[in-house]
Amino acid sequence: MKSKVVNLTYEIELKPGEKLTLPESLVESLGAGSWIITIQPKSNSPVITRTHDAFLKGYAPEDEGLYDDYPTG
Protein backbone atom coordinates (compact mmCIF):
# COMPACT_ATOMS: atom_id res chain seq x y z
CA MET A 1 0.00 0.00 0.00
CA LYS A 2 1.38 3.42 -0.96
CA SER A 3 0.80 6.36 1.30
CA LYS A 4 1.54 10.05 1.29
CA VAL A 5 1.10 12.81 3.82
CA VAL A 6 -1.87 15.03 3.07
CA ASN A 7 -2.71 17.98 5.28
CA LEU A 8 -6.18 19.44 4.99
CA THR A 9 -7.15 22.61 6.78
CA TYR A 10 -10.67 23.98 6.92
CA GLU A 11 -11.69 27.17 8.64
CA ILE A 12 -15.27 27.26 9.84
CA GLU A 13 -17.36 29.54 11.99
CA LEU A 14 -20.22 28.19 14.07
CA LYS A 15 -23.00 30.53 15.09
CA PRO A 16 -24.88 30.03 18.36
CA GLY A 17 -27.06 26.93 18.11
CA GLU A 18 -25.27 25.51 15.05
CA LYS A 19 -23.77 22.03 15.16
CA LEU A 20 -20.55 20.96 13.50
CA THR A 21 -20.89 19.05 10.25
CA LEU A 22 -17.89 18.09 8.20
CA PRO A 23 -17.67 19.46 4.64
CA GLU A 24 -18.67 16.87 2.04
CA SER A 25 -15.36 17.34 0.19
CA LEU A 26 -13.49 16.37 3.37
CA VAL A 27 -15.65 13.31 3.94
CA GLU A 28 -15.16 12.23 0.32
CA SER A 29 -11.36 12.64 0.53
CA LEU A 30 -11.08 10.20 3.43
CA GLY A 31 -10.58 6.53 2.70
CA ALA A 32 -9.65 3.43 4.59
CA GLY A 33 -6.93 3.86 7.18
CA SER A 34 -6.20 5.55 10.47
CA TRP A 35 -6.90 9.24 10.82
CA ILE A 36 -6.26 11.93 13.41
CA ILE A 37 -8.72 14.81 13.38
CA THR A 38 -7.76 17.84 15.42
CA ILE A 39 -10.13 20.68 16.24
CA GLN A 40 -8.74 23.84 17.77
CA PRO A 41 -10.04 27.38 18.23
CA LYS A 42 -8.92 29.93 15.68
CA SER A 43 -6.45 32.49 16.95
CA ASN A 44 -7.71 36.08 17.07
CA SER A 45 -4.24 37.46 16.33
CA PRO A 46 -3.49 38.35 12.71
CA VAL A 47 -1.24 36.12 10.65
CA ILE A 48 2.15 37.74 10.17
CA THR A 49 3.53 37.46 6.68
CA ARG A 50 6.98 38.44 5.53
CA THR A 51 7.23 41.44 3.23
CA HIS A 52 9.96 43.38 1.48
CA ASP A 53 9.11 46.62 3.25
CA ALA A 54 12.50 46.80 4.97
CA PHE A 55 14.26 46.74 1.61
CA LEU A 56 12.03 49.43 0.16
CA LYS A 57 12.40 51.65 3.22
CA GLY A 58 16.19 51.31 3.00
CA TYR A 59 16.27 53.01 -0.41
CA ALA A 60 17.22 56.68 -0.24
CA PRO A 61 16.70 59.35 -2.93
CA GLU A 62 20.47 59.83 -3.22
CA ASP A 63 20.75 56.19 -4.32
CA GLU A 64 18.96 57.07 -7.58
CA GLY A 65 21.12 56.01 -10.51
CA LEU A 66 23.58 54.14 -8.31
CA TYR A 67 23.47 51.02 -10.47
CA ASP A 68 22.76 52.64 -13.85
CA ASP A 69 26.33 52.02 -15.11
CA TYR A 70 26.38 48.38 -13.98
CA PRO A 71 27.60 46.29 -16.95
CA THR A 72 25.13 43.74 -18.25
CA GLY A 73 26.51 40.62 -19.82
Side-chain angles (χ1 to χ4, degrees), residues 13-31:
E13 181 178 342
L14 293 177
K15 294 185 172 67
E18 284 185 315
K19 292 190 179 199
L20 174 66
T21 58
L22 296 175
E24 188 65 31
S25 59
L26 173 62
V27 174
E28 292 298 321
S29 69
L30 299 177

Side-chain angles (χ1 to χ4, degrees), residues 17-69:
E18 284 185 315
K19 292 190 179 199
L20 174 66
T21 58
L22 296 175
E24 188 65 31
S25 59
L26 173 62
V27 174
E28 292 298 321
S29 69
L30 299 177
S34 299
W35 297 92
I36 297 174
I37 298 174
T38 303
I39 298 175
Q40 64 188 36
K42 180 182 171 188
S43 171
N44 289 334
S45 59
V47 176
I48 298 173
T49 57
R50 294 173 61 173
T51 65
H52 299 285
D53 289 347
F55 172 76
L56 296 174
K57 291 177 183 173
Y59 181 82
E62 57 268 16
D63 293 337
E64 186 65 41
L66 185 62
Y67 300 105
D68 287 353
D69 294 333

